[in-house]
Amino acid sequence: DAGVTQSPTHLIKTRGQQVTLRCSPKSGHDTVSWYQQALGQGPQFIFQYYEEEERQRGNFPDRFSGHQFPNYSSELNVNALLLGDSALYLCVSSLGQGGGNSPLHFGNGTRLTVT
Amino acid sequence: GENVEQHPSTLSVQEGDSAVIKCTYSDSASNYFPWYKQELGKGPQLIIDIRSNVGEKKDQRIAVTLNKTAKHFSLHITETQPEDSAVYFCAPLGGDDMRFGAGTRLTVKP
């Protein structure tokens, strides 16, 4: 039973570029959330996708966008990269929209470095 | 939104000792209180959780206690082992999104 898989594991980009990160949720899960974790800090909620639509959004600019596909996999896109976007990006899958009714399963993240 | 604080930010104990990490939150509507463990190079993993209708929950060497009146909950690890060394996060659920604390780095010295 595959857990949450993210690709790539590491990525280096230059300021101003665009990046796409990918996530496949745990088998049987239909909801994907994305978190940003800066070094030495807790994860910060970016947004959540359910039924191919963005359902909730944290305090992130619209440079951050996403998509969910019919097979429940998801992409996170970041445009016009800034140095401050350097972080570990975590994908989280759950069944339904969470709310504590379904445990969250984290992937191991994509480490993005912006130079 | 939810305001979450964890204490201490770092904790060093001798193998076999107990460790306690406290999480305070601000949203009185919070009703789900999980703890996550994050090892180096990995994503956080749920280790124990509690809901607002329960005061304490135990799973082998780990336990979580909840004080809803005071708006805090704590992670207790007994008989610590070197493999317990990691960063621990609380993430009380208030409203629609889950806010994580800043984390506690636990080091268990052999």
Side-chain angles (χ1 to χ4, degrees):
Chain A
D1 183 16
V4 180
T5 57
Q6 291 187 243
S7 64
T9 55
H10 295 82
L11 201 51
I12 299 175
K13 289 285 189 177
T14 304
R15 268 183 305 176
Q17 286 188 315
Q18 178 265 343
V19 68
T20 298
L21 310 181
R22 295 177 176 82
C23 171
S24 292
K26 179 179 167 66
S27 177
H29 284 183
D30 57 6
T31 302
V32 172
S33 302
W34 288 91
Y35 285 76
Q36 180 195 67
Q37 186 176 24
L39 202 60
Q41 296 184 23
Q44 303 287 318
F45 175 71
I46 303 175
F47 43 52
Q48 181 189 73
Y49 277 83
Y50 173 69
E51 292 186 337
E52 302 178 49
E53 289 188 15
E54 183 182 299
R55 299 293 178 168
Q56 300 173 39
R57 189 177 184 94
N59 190 24
F60 279 80
D62 57 12
R63 297 187 296 111
F64 290 76
S65 63
H67 191 78
Q68 185 179 35
F69 300 94
N71 67 352
Y72 308 120
S73 67
S74 177
E75 289 182 349
L76 164 66
N77 301 292
V78 187
N79 293 324
L81 284 166
L82 304 174
L83 295 179
D85 295 331
S86 295
L88 181 69
Y89 288 85
L90 295 161
C91 174
V92 181
S93 80
S94 60
L95 182 61
Q97 289 181 264
N101 295 319
S102 168
L104 302 183
H105 291 256
F106 283 78
N108 287 329
T110 293
R111 171 72 61 190
L112 172 64
T113 302
V114 182
T115 63
Chain B
E2 181 84 271
N3 213 19
V4 181
E5 290 188 5
Q6 263 182 255
H7 295 281
S9 56
T10 61
L11 181 58
S12 182
V13 300
Q14 207 65 40
E15 183 178 357
D17 287 351
S18 295
V20 181
I21 304 169
K22 184 176 179 179
C23 181
T24 59
Y25 60 94
S26 61
D27 188 348
S28 55
S30 295
N31 59 6
Y32 176 63
F33 307 93
W35 284 97
Y36 291 84
K37 175 183 181 183
Q38 187 173 26
E39 296 174 294
L40 199 61
K42 295 185 178 181
Q45 301 297 312
L46 177 69
I47 56 171
I48 195 165
D49 58 8
I50 195 169
R51 298 185 189 278
S52 57
N53 58 343
V54 177
E56 182 174 355
K57 182 177 177 180
K58 192 173 180 180
D59 182 4
Q60 299 182 356
R61 294 187 299 108
I62 60 172
V64 54
T65 58
L66 172 65
N67 185 328
K68 278 214 78 179
T69 305
K71 288 191 265 185
H72 66 74
F73 62 112
S74 297
L75 175 67
H76 305 256
I77 305 175
T78 59
E79 300 170 33
T80 53
Q81 300 168 3
E83 51 264 40
D84 295 329
S85 295
V87 180
Y88 292 82
F89 294 98
C90 64
L93 182 62
D96 294 329
D97 67 289
M98 184 173 280
R99 300 255 177 136
F100 283 77
T104 297
R105 180 172 296 281
L106 173 65
T107 302
V108 180
K109 295 178 286 186

